[in-house]
């Protein structure tokens, strides 16, 4: 007798994804992740801006505390010194004599505050020469003479427009200013004493840079810093200023002025 034929075998389709289906799924997943990265980065930057503003509020209190104890504001620190140096973060000088620079890094060691903002970059700090030395009754609110009022670096000037107005009377005047260079960090100084490239900085952000030999100009021809009229639209810098009347109030509260 002939052998019995083998029973027919049922051919079932194999479960799983084909290569084409896997490619499509990965492409869709990639698009979803990409669409989430933008809002996530914006959320992180918003959080860092808020953290930096809170830090700037603490720095303001530290500056006022220094004013009350020393009768003056501290000088800027050298931004080009790496944090590994013992002298990094110290006001130069710290004896009440003329500052080595008018614009530099915040003297974080002198003040006992953090050296960097939420993006881990150093704060830029500018101080008017008149307020970095012992402040007397004649120094504020009225100058002893018109010529003294016209002397260089009586104030740190702030402008809300670029180019700044030619008339100094249209510029805000403060005793000191602390700047965080924001998310893009254009022109900011790092902990290793290296300055970040600023060629891509906006014309507004260029005003806020701490460069070698940067001065505050004079009352007749000031070199103002930029105060964003629309934060985030034309500059992502975050800053806080110390009005001269607030410095005076701190001195009166400390009994250093009548």
């Amino acid at each position: 007798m002939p052998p019995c034929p083998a029973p027919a075998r049922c051919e079932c389709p194999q479960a799983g994804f084909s290569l084409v289906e896997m490619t499509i799924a990965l492409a869709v997943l990639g698009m979803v992740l990409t669409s989430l990265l933008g809002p996530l980065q914006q959320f992180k930057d918003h959080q860092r801006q808020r953290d930096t503003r809170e830090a700037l509020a603490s720095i303001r209190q530290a500056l006022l505390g220094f004013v009350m104890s020393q009768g003056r504001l501290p000088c800027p620190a050298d931004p080009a010194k790496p944090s590994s140096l013992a002298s990094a973060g110290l006001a130069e000088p710290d004896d009440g004599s003329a500052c080595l620079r008018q614009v530099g890094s915040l003297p974080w060691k002198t003040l006992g505050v953090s050296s960097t903002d939420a993006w881990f970059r150093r704060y830029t700090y500018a101080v008017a020469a008149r307020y970095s030395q012992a402040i007397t009754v004649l120094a504020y609110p009225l100058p002893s003479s018109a010529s003294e009022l016209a002397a260089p670096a009586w104030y740190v000037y702030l402008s809300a427009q670029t180019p700044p107005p030619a008339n100094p009377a249209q510029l805000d005047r403060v005793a000191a200013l602390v700047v965080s260079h924001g998310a893009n960090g254009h022109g900011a100084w790092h902990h290793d004493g290296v300055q970040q490239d600023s060629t891509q900085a906006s014309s507004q952000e260029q005003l806020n840079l701490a460069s070698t030999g940067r001065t505050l100009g004079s009352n007749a021809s000031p070199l103002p810093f930029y105060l964003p009229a629309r934060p985030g639209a034309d500059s992502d810098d975050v800053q806080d200023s110390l009005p001269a009347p607030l410095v005076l109030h701190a001195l009166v509260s400390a009994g250093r002025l009548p």
Side-chain angles (χ1 to χ4, degrees), residues 4 11-12 22 49 71 76 88 91 121 127 130 156 160 163 168-170 231 257:
C4 295
E11 297 291 339
C12 298
M22 283 289 285
Q49 284 184 348
R121 306 183 188 103
V127 61
R130 197 66 180 84
V156 177
Q170 297 177 336
L257 289 180

Side-chain angles (χ1 to χ4, degrees), residues 52-68 72-74 106 111 113-114 123 125 158 174-178 227 239-247 249-250:
T52 296
R53 292 189 187 280
E54 291 177 354
L56 286 172
S58 298
I59 290 171
R60 173 189 278 220
Q61 294 305 312
L63 286 169
L64 289 174
F66 188 93
V67 167
M68 296 174 73
R72 59 181 172 82
L73 284 165
L106 182 73
L111 293 171
V113 297
S114 174
Y123 295 100
Y125 170 66
L158 294 175
V174 298
L177 176 72
V178 184
L227 177 66
Q239 62 179 245
D240 190 27
S241 58
L242 200 60
L246 189 58
V247 174
H249 178 73

